[in-house]
């Protein structure tokens, strides 16, 4: 399983921040959400099968 890179998380957090109206002071929240979303995407990847776990 490939872990999301820091740059991947940063990009996703920025997207979430923009969608949320660019609020100040919630960087940690958006970082955590981005990291969680990216990890969940990897788990649902169609390439993953029981044989590749």
């Amino acid at each position: 399983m490939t872990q999301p890179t820091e740059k991947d998380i940063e990009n996703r957090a920025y997207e979430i921040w923009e969608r949320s109206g660019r609020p100040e002071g919630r960087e940690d929240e958006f970082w955590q959400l981005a990291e969680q979303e990216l990890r969940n995407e990897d788990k649902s990847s169609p390439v993953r099968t029981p044989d590749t776990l």
Side-chain angles (χ1 to χ4, degrees):
M1 172 167 55
T2 305
Q3 297 294 321
T5 66
E6 191 167 313
K7 189 66 176 170
D8 292 335
I9 298 168
E10 180 181 340
N11 290 338
R12 180 63 62 92
Y14 184 81
E15 291 171 9
I16 296 167
W17 175 72
E18 283 193 318
R19 285 194 312 253
S20 298
R22 299 179 176 186
E24 293 185 28
R26 294 174 53 194
E27 295 85 3
D28 290 340
E29 176 185 344
F30 293 127
W31 185 273
Q32 295 291 333
L33 185 56
E35 190 172 22
Q36 182 179 1
E37 283 185 8
L38 290 168
R39 290 178 194 270
N40 288 341
E41 282 178 5
D42 184 54
K43 289 178 183 175
S44 64
S45 172
V47 176
R48 290 176 49 95
T49 65
D51 296 334
T52 61
L53 295 178

